[in-house]
Amino acid sequence: MRRIILVFPFLLLVVISLNSCEKSSGTAFEHATMRPWFDKNCKSCHGSGGGNSGAWSYNPDNYETSIKKHISHLYQDVYVNKSMPPAGLTQAELDQFKTWYDAGYPAK
Ligand code: HEC
């Protein structure tokens, strides 16, 4: 009984610290060309508070969940179907996207 009383707060502490770790473990998206590219072309609609963040949420604070996890979808919409952004991109912007994608869509 005594042992349970000692172990329980310890486990609680482990759970709490694991949780807070998870929240701060996202890699920031800081690519010199593509961070401004996404900010310019996608953020107004898909950033936090943007009207269409439900369809895809652009969050440069978490590269893994926002970019990496959705990369095949992003590639389809931006480069294959050219459906995003709705206003379209210049050839130079499409090339920038493709170069970054082919390089393994790095975060930095
Ligand atoms: C002017 C507003 C606007 C901008 C700018 C915009 N989007 Fe969208 N996006 C939408 C809307 C509206 C939808 C939901 C309707 C739809 O699926 O067509 C959407 C849906 C999406 C989806 C998920 C839906 C799907 O099935 O394809 C992705 C992924 C996406 N956008 C990526 C992007 C990317 C990447 C950019 C920047 C290059 C971008 N969007 C820029 C308005 C926008």
Side-chain angles (χ1 to χ4, degrees):
M1 191 59 194
R2 234 196 144 117
R3 252 167 97 175
I4 292 172
I5 290 169
L6 285 174
V7 162
F8 183 70
F10 174 72
L11 283 178
L12 205 72
L13 218 90
V14 168
V15 168
I16 289 168
S17 53
L18 279 178
N19 264 338
S20 54
C21 243
E22 212 168 285
K23 269 180 207 135
S24 58
S25 70
T27 308
F29 182 51
E30 290 168 340
H31 192 274
T33 321
M34 294 309 287
R35 171 69 194 267
W37 188 101
F38 275 93
D39 283 351
K40 172 178 179 256
N41 294 307
C42 314
K43 196 178 174 182
S44 60
C45 299
H46 292 286
S48 72
N52 296 294
S53 55
W56 165 62
S57 169
Y58 172 58
N59 174 11
D61 292 337
N62 200 329
Y63 165 77
E64 283 88 357
T65 57
S66 183
I67 311 272
K68 194 176 175 188
K69 188 176 159 201
H70 296 280
I71 192 64
S72 58
H73 206 164
L74 299 178
Y75 179 75
Q76 279 295 318
D77 286 0
V78 170
Y79 197 78
V80 180
N81 304 325
K82 300 185 172 57
S83 56
M84 286 291 146
L89 292 165
T90 64
Q91 188 59 49
E93 285 169 328
L94 279 171
D95 292 345
Q96 283 177 330
F97 181 87
K98 186 68 161 64
T99 303
W100 168 74
Y101 178 82
D102 288 346
Y105 41 92
K108 289 180 192 4

